[in-house]
Amino acid sequence: MTPFLRILGIETSCDETAASVVVRHADGRGEIISDVVLSQLEEHSAYGGVVPEIAARAHVEALDTLIEEALTGAGVALADIDAIAATSGPGLIGGLIVGLMTGKAIAMASGKPLYAINHLEGHALTARLTDGLAFPYLMLLVSGGHTQLILVRGVGQYERWGTTIDDALGEAFDKTAKLLGLPYPGGPAVEKAAAHGNADRFALPRPMVGEARLDFSFSGLKTAVRQAATAIAPLSEQDIADICASFQKAVSRTLKDRIGRGLQRFLEEFPLVDGGPSLVVAGGVAANQEIRRTLQDLCDKHRFRFIAPPLQLCTDNAAMIAWAGLERMALGMEPDSFDTQPRSRWPLDAQAQTLIGFGKRGAKA
Ligand code: KG4
Ligand code: ZN
């Protein structure tokens, strides 16, 4: 039996500085002992998006204190920690350098092993920390930087079944909000406006619906929103609400088609899975109630278990990074050498091709 393990996790790949202490009990159960996240939302909101230089500086300022808080909050000293896990990609390179170098320094000074973690693997394995989910399962990551459907076969074994060929879904929400004059981040603003809008007023496109491949595309939808808005400008509050509601409906219909096909493929490839088939959602867009409902209905229809971890574990955090390190450690996987370098691009599935048009903001998750 694997012994009790305790890891310090560090996350700095985008605009959240985070540190966490997580343990893995001998029976394989994970437990978050402390989990601190400092969002840089305010620093970036004036610019309508994340500014890499500002993000990197903010990580430098906050990280030491956050790590101390995570240790104190867990009631442990560095000496009680078995290993350090730090995000080393994908993401904004300045932030990754800050987190990974801090992780290396702590590991080197304390003589502990270092695990350089793929941020996407953190998202992919979270459901095992929260729900003890067994492999294989499907994971939908919908954030500001990624829209991916991933088959999670095991630790380190990922197959990308679908990805966006242009904008990420969160990005589409953010751009829609921006062109309607709504505040950043756009997702929550669009959802709020949509609540009192008429979703049938604008017939917006449902990109990729009906296509056999499992990829996504959202830039055409964004263009259609711009055209609809321009055609009726100046916009009243009700117009904005109607556009937001119509946009959300188009997104939901698209997801229903894309993910529905993904669930079917999973059932074909894995007709017998212990505990039944499951779909896990991660990323900031998972906060959207209509999208959650769509996914829940889809899972009910296909008899999948739908797992949406608590929101603070869906968005960027260090507990998932610590947990990914624990999973590796428990399997006896080698720690990383101190030569390991941060990587702004680091696909989970090394076989997956970069799709044309993808990659403008494609590095962050
Ligand atoms: O995972 P996340 O917190 O971080 C990064 O991608 O960095 O995701 C943020 C994204 C943003 O694009 C934001 O607009 C979107 O998630 N988002 C939402 C909602 N809340 C956040 N999108 C739709 N509806 C929401 N309620
Ligand atoms: Zn992320």
Side-chain angles (χ1 to χ4, degrees):
M1 196 182 266
T2 324
F4 172 90
L5 296 169
R6 187 191 280 122
I7 281 196
L8 169 68
I10 297 171
E11 158 63 35
T12 55
S13 67
C14 189
D15 57 346
E16 262 96 24
T17 318
S20 171
V21 174
V22 178
V23 304
R24 186 182 185 280
H25 295 278
D27 61 4
R29 206 167 33 89
E31 190 185 349
I32 300 172
I33 310 297
S34 68
D35 181 18
V36 280
V37 182
L38 184 71
S39 169
Q40 303 172 2
L41 213 59
E42 272 179 28
E43 280 93 327
H44 301 288
S45 66
Y47 303 93
V50 179
V51 184
E53 173 78 17
I54 295 178
R57 285 168 188 266
H59 289 307
V60 172
E61 267 172 36
L63 188 56
D64 289 1
T65 318
L66 278 187
I67 290 172
E68 214 171 305
E69 269 178 42
L71 291 171
T72 317
V76 295
L78 202 50
D80 306 317
I81 297 287
D82 297 305
I84 318 294
T87 305
S88 77
L92 300 172
I93 197 68
L96 292 170
I97 291 172
V98 175
L100 184 60
M101 289 308 288
T102 305
K104 280 187 191 179
I106 296 174
M108 202 174 264
S110 61
K112 315 276 181 192
L114 169 78
Y115 288 86
I117 302 296
N118 182 314
H119 176 89
L120 303 174
E121 181 168 52
H123 280 303
L125 298 176
T126 298
R128 292 171 50 77
L129 165 64
T130 55
D131 294 77
L133 190 60
F135 299 120
Y137 54 87
L138 268 183
M139 199 244 337
L140 173 68
L141 174 61
V142 273
S143 67
H146 286 274
T147 303
Q148 299 194 3
L149 185 63
I150 290 169
L151 169 68
V152 185
R153 275 185 194 274
V155 177
Q157 297 173 45
Y158 311 98
E159 252 175 59
R160 196 183 72 194
W161 281 9
T163 188
T164 179
I165 61 168
D166 40 57
D167 293 347
L169 183 52
E171 199 178 356
F173 269 94
D174 293 337
K175 288 180 175 172
T176 294
K178 200 170 184 178
L179 69 91
L180 296 175
L182 297 174
Y184 174 83
V190 169
E191 180 170 25
K192 196 165 159 221
H196 50 91
N198 173 5
D200 296 318
R201 178 161 163 207
F202 298 95
L204 298 173
R206 277 104 207 243
M208 310 295 273
V209 166
E211 290 211 20
R213 59 195 269 214
L214 293 175
D215 295 318
F216 305 86
S217 165
F218 295 106
S219 78
L221 181 54
K222 173 196 65 194
T223 306
V225 167
R226 179 181 297 118
Q227 285 164 349
T230 311
I232 57 163
L235 302 176
S236 69
E237 222 172 275
Q238 190 58 49
D239 292 332
I240 292 175
D242 293 346
I243 293 175
C244 287
S246 303
F247 168 80
Q248 246 182 214
K249 186 174 177 182
V251 167
S252 290
R253 290 294 156 84
T254 296
L255 289 179
K256 197 169 161 188
D257 175 80
R258 309 283 70 215
I259 311 302
R261 280 167 193 268
L263 301 188
Q264 272 168 3
R265 175 170 166 191
F266 185 90
L267 291 177
E268 281 158 22
E269 291 197 18
F270 304 96
L272 294 170
V273 175
D274 275 353
S278 304
L279 172 73
V280 178
V281 71
V285 183
N288 187 286
Q289 290 305 320
E290 185 173 338
I291 290 175
R292 270 186 188 231
R293 253 195 321 273
T294 301
L295 296 174
Q296 180 70 63
D297 290 350
L298 208 53
C299 285
D300 291 348
K301 188 174 147 212
H302 292 274
R303 296 182 195 283
F304 269 63
R305 189 173 156 204
F306 177 55
I307 300 181
L311 205 59
Q312 73 272 21
L313 294 176
C314 273
T315 53
D316 292 350
N317 64 87
M320 70 179 188
I321 303 304
W323 176 252
L326 283 166
E327 292 253 42
R328 295 191 155 255
M329 210 176 178
L331 287 173
M333 292 171 140
E334 284 295 312
D336 288 276
S337 94
F338 288 127
D339 292 338
T340 190
Q341 298 295 328
R343 311 191 216 176
S344 57
R345 288 190 67 80
W346 186 5
L348 254 194
D349 176 352
Q351 310 300 319
Q353 297 191 349
T354 302
L355 295 185
I356 299 157
F358 173 71
K360 282 165 286 170
R361 264 181 83 199
K364 78 182 204 63

